[in-house]
Amino acid sequence: MKILVAVKRAIDYNVKARPKADGSGVELANVKMAMNPFDEIAVEEAIRLQEAGKAGEIVAVSIGPAASQETLRTAMAMGADRGVLVQTDDEVQPLAVAKLLKAIVEREQPGMVILGKQAIDDDSNQTGQMLAGLLGWAQGTFACNVAPEGDSLAVKREVDGGLQSIKLKMPAVVTADLRLNEPRYVKLPNIMKAKKKPLDTLTPAELGVDITPRLKLLKVAEPPARAGGVKVADVQELVAKLRNEAKVI
Amino acid sequence: MTALVIAEHNNQILNAATLNAAAAAARLSGGFDVLVAGHNCGAVATQAAAIAGVGKVLVADAAQYAHALAENLAPLVVSIAGGYSHLLTASTANGKNAMPRIAAMLDVAQLSDIIGVVSDDTFVRPIYAGNVLATVQSTDRIKAITVRTTGFDAIAATGGTGTIENIAVQADAGLSTFVSEELTKSSRPELAAADIIVSGGRGVGSAENFAIIEKLADLLGAAVGASRAAVDAGYVPNDYQVGQTGKCVAPTLYVAVGISGAIQHLAGMKDSKVIVAINKDEEAPIFQVADYGLVGDLFKEVPALCEALAK
Ligand SMILES: Cc1cc2nc3c(=O)[nH]c(=O)nc-3n(C[C@H](O)[C@H](O)[C@H](O)COP(=O)(O)OP(=O)(O)OC[C@H]3O[C@@H](n4cnc5c(N)ncnc54)[C@H](O)[C@@H]3O)c2cc1C
Ligand SMILES: Cc1cc2nc3c(=O)[nH]c(=O)nc-3n(C[C@H](O)[C@H](O)[C@H](O)COP(=O)(O)OP(=O)(O)OC[C@H]3O[C@@H](n4cnc5c(N)ncnc54)[C@H](O)[C@@H]3O)c2cc1C
């Protein structure tokens, strides 16, 4: 079974994003970028399935500018076998990402697609579900355990009240939650090896996908800042403040 | 045109998050209906019909809807979506699971996690862990929306006079089956709906030590939350996680104990009315958002706080 993994180049999770001064977008110039953390988990899961003899080739796919090649190289250094970049400098919203991924799925015919549950920049939490809807496949979102069993897939999901187990017909789409696994660190020799792995570049036009945005960003702004608070000396003062000043207990 | 709110429920009780989603729908110009898809969910339909301002309550009662599997729910919603201008659901696990699938099948974009309604086509939503608020306009004929519950005060659960109507069900899609669920049992309030939350982080040190957090929570009648680090370390179950990728909460009082205040954690709680932080590191970023900060060892301060509260 071939596995397709979607990896997105996103802001590094340690960076605190800020709106541009004119409110037209988010300041991304000279900001450190990295693979979206959930996508590292997705890649790791694919590799573990391969190591367990449950998956064949792993193809990493990214959609974005030329710099997204770095993200694909990282995926390949972790263990993905090859990369596909759908290159565009245009803004690509989740529905368009899902359509592009669907076009790649039709070419590659994987048995499973693994994505992150959400990208930490736009925080949409949509792409995997949209892809599953477009393909008419089953979806195992927010997965914390994935186990192929013959022609079905057992998925344990993180839900509001705890955990849910479902069984999916294959092929299926899976989105990775934080506790699916702990991604491996990339070793230097593997970074060198990844440079030699195949990386194909396509365009949305070659895939016949219209990526025109459906959502228009009118403006961005910083949320209202919290007024700075005070330090209290001890628990007595804390209780007094909560009772008499804040009146919340 | 009318909006459709997809109800969140467990076949018996309407989840309170639905009232926040309905509150967002009520800000639109065309009024709203509610869809209750479930199994033996008549009681939920009755509760939905009482939501203030509701028009119709559409009921799809069949075994394949018992567990809100997106593969079955999505085609049902798509079958009736043509009559609506907006589809809304709360940003619960079920809502986040189903709505993008519905949107894609309708070939429309989704607006995730809105916290404000500017007009019928323009909404405010947080991005980048809530460090940026984006005002976004949709050009699609149907707007598919998930609603961040902390962004809208719940609409009244009573006073409505909705008419209940059964709608045609669709066959089981045959793609997915529910196997089982392990729900965290707790006598404490639900995290998403609690007035007071006491959360513990890595500083708490172990699952056993979490008892002191729970004791404080019980004294305050609070729910218990946690940072990702505490969940990852196995101190508490996954559904306790507060943050960008866990639950977003905005209680009247949030007490963060042994939590450093990483941006991902702040994203889930910084809209709380009053924030208290207890941390032994006076430089911890959590103090930047705390109304009241107490620098000290939690193993000393939390029991002392319990004692002071009991007085
Ligand atoms: C109105 C608006 C304006 C925007 N403007 C800009 C802008 O000017 N510049 C900019 O850079 N971004 C912009 N964005 C953000 C960009 O469109 C989003 O990153 C995109 O919509 C995907 O959303 P997401 O990553 O949050 O998806 P999610 O659904 O949260 O992502 C889930 C998973 O899908 C996969 N995935 C998502 N995107 C990709 C991808 N590109 N390649 C491979 N896998 C992927 C990953 O596995 C990821 O973990 C804008 C978004 C909106 C809504
Ligand atoms: C993709 C991604 C998503 C994430 N999503 C989330 C999320 O949703 N929610 C979330 O919380 N995190 C999330 N994180 C993790 C986040 O970055 C931090 O790692 C995490 O919040 C840290 O948890 P903590 O504050 O408990 O631990 P630490 O940062 O280790 O802080 C522990 C604190 O306890 C204090 N302490 C220790 N001992 C004591 C004592 N005896 N008395 C008093 N204080 C003490 C220390 O001074 C320290 O400040 C995410 C990270 C990534 C990469």
Side-chain angles (χ1 to χ4, degrees), chain B residues 34-75:
Chain B
V34 172
L35 170 68
V36 176
H39 190 217
N40 298 329
C41 55
V44 180
T46 311
Q47 294 159 47
I51 297 176
V54 66
K56 281 189 274 188
V57 175
L58 307 178
V59 181
D61 198 326
Q64 59 270 32
Y65 303 128
H67 300 284
L69 293 170
E71 294 82 354
N72 291 330
L73 184 56

Side-chain angles (χ1 to χ4, degrees), chain B residues 128-183:
Chain B
Y128 291 85
N131 288 308
V132 178
L133 299 182
T135 303
V136 184
Q137 185 177 37
S138 165
T139 57
D140 286 315
R141 74 202 139 84
I142 300 175
K143 280 98 182 133
I145 295 170
T146 61
V147 178
R148 182 170 289 195
T149 52
T150 56
F152 298 88
D153 289 334
I155 204 167
T158 54
T161 50
T163 49
I164 298 177
E165 232 175 67
N166 286 308
I167 61 166
V169 301
Q170 314 256 311
D172 191 324
L175 293 172
S176 55
T177 42
F178 170 86
V179 178
S180 64
E181 60 193 357
E182 303 156 41
L183 298 183

